[in-house]
């Protein structure tokens, strides 16, 4: 049968999550459900003699953006060319688009060879924050009209992603909070259950004060992890002043100029897998 590449099934996407766990990436428990909605054809699996041995996601957003993630080859087949075949298939699916990814340190040189350039680093911090600022008005984000949430998200992401976002907010093991002022959204954050400490993402806010209130409310005294862009120094200061410790980092890289998004309000990215 040899090596074959095909779109992933629902079961395959779950398997990709298991592989991500083995890589130490702490995937969310509901990630297979949430991610599949983003672009059902955007997850690829390579099979060797019928057995899955490698994977990649190449998710399309809108008309001009794509994001690569889940680039994993099983240890027993690394160095045999299967991973690069899958990579090429994923990039072919995103041809003509600006493409982003979050590259782990030991792969960044390879991504540069493929035309990617670093825009900033996303640093994973772990910690606990439980002192809630009661003067910031926080509400269940699912009670806010979705079109307002989607419009707010567009300030921080290059293309609309309504199907993914709606699902991300509503999954039963996700908690989503919005900060509001005068009936206007000034912050948004989601906590999702994960294999290890729960993860916060995204975390958007108009100020460090609002971001702190959201992070504290969602942490609720439990250890959580958040992927913080170092392109927003205020976000780095917030978590470090709160005693969070860095545990991992990946470079946000693009095939062209970085998208024009509101970095000053981006305190935590949604996920390293889908952007």
């Amino acid at each position: 049968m040899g090596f074959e590449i095909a779109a992933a099934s629902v079961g395959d996407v779950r398997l990709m999550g298991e592989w991500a766990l083995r890589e130490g990436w702490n995937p969310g428990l509901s990630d297979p459900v949430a991610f599949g909605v983003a672009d059902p054809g955007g997850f690829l699996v390579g099979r060797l003699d019928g057995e899955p041995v490698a994977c990649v996601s190449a998710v399309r957003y809108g008309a001009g953006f794509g994001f690569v993630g889940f680039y994993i080859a099983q240890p027993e087949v690394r160095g045999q060319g299967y991973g690069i075949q899958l990579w090429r298939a994923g990039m072919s699916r995103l041809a003509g688009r600006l493409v982003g990814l979050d590259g782990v340190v030991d792969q960044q040189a390879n991504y540069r060879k493929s035309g990617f350039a670093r825009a900033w680093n996303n640093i994973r911090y772990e910690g606990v924050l439980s002192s809630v600022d009661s003067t910031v008005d926080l509400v269940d984000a699912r009670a806010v009209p979705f079109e307002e949430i989607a419009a707010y998200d567009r300030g921080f992401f290059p293309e609309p992603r309504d199907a993914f976002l709606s699902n991300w907010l509503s999954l039963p093991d996700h908690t989503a909070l919005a900060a509001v002022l005068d009936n206007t959204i000034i912050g948004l954050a989601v906590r999702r259950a994960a294999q290890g400490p729960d993860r916060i993402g995204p975390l958007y806010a108009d100020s460090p004060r609002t971001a702190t209130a959201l992070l504290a409310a969602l942490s609720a005294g439990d250890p959580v992890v958040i992927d913080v862009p170092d392109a927003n120094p205020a976000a780095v200061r917030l978590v470090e002043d709160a005693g969070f410790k860095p545990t991992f980092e990946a470079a946000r890289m693009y095939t062209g100029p970085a998208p024009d998004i509101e970095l000053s309000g981006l305190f935590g990215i949604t996920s390293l897998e889908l952007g």
Side-chain angles (χ1 to χ4, degrees):
M1 297 173 63
F3 185 68
E4 300 176 324
I5 297 172
S9 67
V10 172
D12 290 332
V13 176
R14 293 191 180 278
L15 180 62
M16 292 164 71
E18 294 174 12
W19 289 354
L21 177 62
R22 293 176 198 163
E23 294 294 319
W25 296 352
N26 188 26
L29 298 181
S30 295
D31 284 0
V33 177
F35 291 170
V37 171
D39 179 1
F43 297 81
L44 305 178
V45 170
R47 290 183 168 82
L48 183 61
D49 297 330
E51 293 296 321
V53 296
C55 62
V56 72
S57 59
V59 171
R60 296 169 177 166
Y61 293 105
F65 186 59
F67 203 87
V68 175
F70 279 114
Y71 184 34
I72 306 171
Q74 291 304 282
E76 63 271 19
V77 301
R78 291 175 185 174
Q80 299 179 41
Y82 301 122
I84 193 62
Q85 290 184 56
L86 205 55
W87 169 264
R88 289 169 179 158
M91 290 301 292
S92 176
R93 190 173 191 276
L94 301 179
R97 296 167 179 258
L98 174 68
V99 181
L101 58 76
D102 285 308
V104 297
V105 173
D106 62 358
Q107 288 294 325
Q108 289 170 19
N110 289 330
Y111 294 137
R112 285 193 290 271
K113 292 176 183 176
S114 295
F116 287 81
R118 176 189 169 278
W120 65 79
N121 287 336
N122 289 316
I123 307 169
R124 179 165 298 173
Y125 284 88
E126 181 175 343
V128 178
L129 189 61
S130 56
S131 178
V132 178
D133 184 345
S134 60
T135 64
V136 177
D137 188 11
L138 304 180
V139 300
D140 187 332
R142 287 168 280 202
V144 178
F146 178 72
E147 60 268 22
E148 295 180 17
I149 296 282
Y152 185 65
D153 183 70
R154 283 289 289 111
F156 306 96
F157 199 78
E159 292 277 0
R161 50 176 181 174
D162 291 9
F164 165 78
L165 186 63
S166 175
N167 197 33
W168 195 250
L169 298 177
S170 61
L171 285 166
D173 61 353
H174 289 202
T175 302
L177 294 178
V180 295
L181 179 66
D182 297 330
N183 295 316
T184 300
I185 300 172
I186 60 170
L188 176 71
V190 177
R191 172 174 171 164
R192 78 191 200 264
Q195 298 285 352
D198 284 5
R199 296 174 63 173
I200 305 294
L203 175 55
Y204 308 144
D206 68 333
S207 68
R209 176 172 169 267
T210 300
T212 300
L214 285 162
L215 181 58
L218 288 176
S219 174
D222 298 325
V224 293
V225 295
I226 180 170
D227 296 310
V228 177
D230 66 3
N232 182 359
V236 175
R237 285 196 299 272
L238 186 160
V239 290
E240 291 188 345
D241 288 349
F244 281 54
K245 302 300 182 184
T247 62
F248 174 83
E249 75 175 56
R252 174 59 58 88
M253 308 177 80
Y254 295 102
T255 53
D260 183 17
I261 60 174
E262 298 175 24
L263 278 170
S264 64
L266 180 60
F267 287 79
I269 67 165
T270 303
S271 82
L272 294 181
E273 297 84 6
L274 265 68

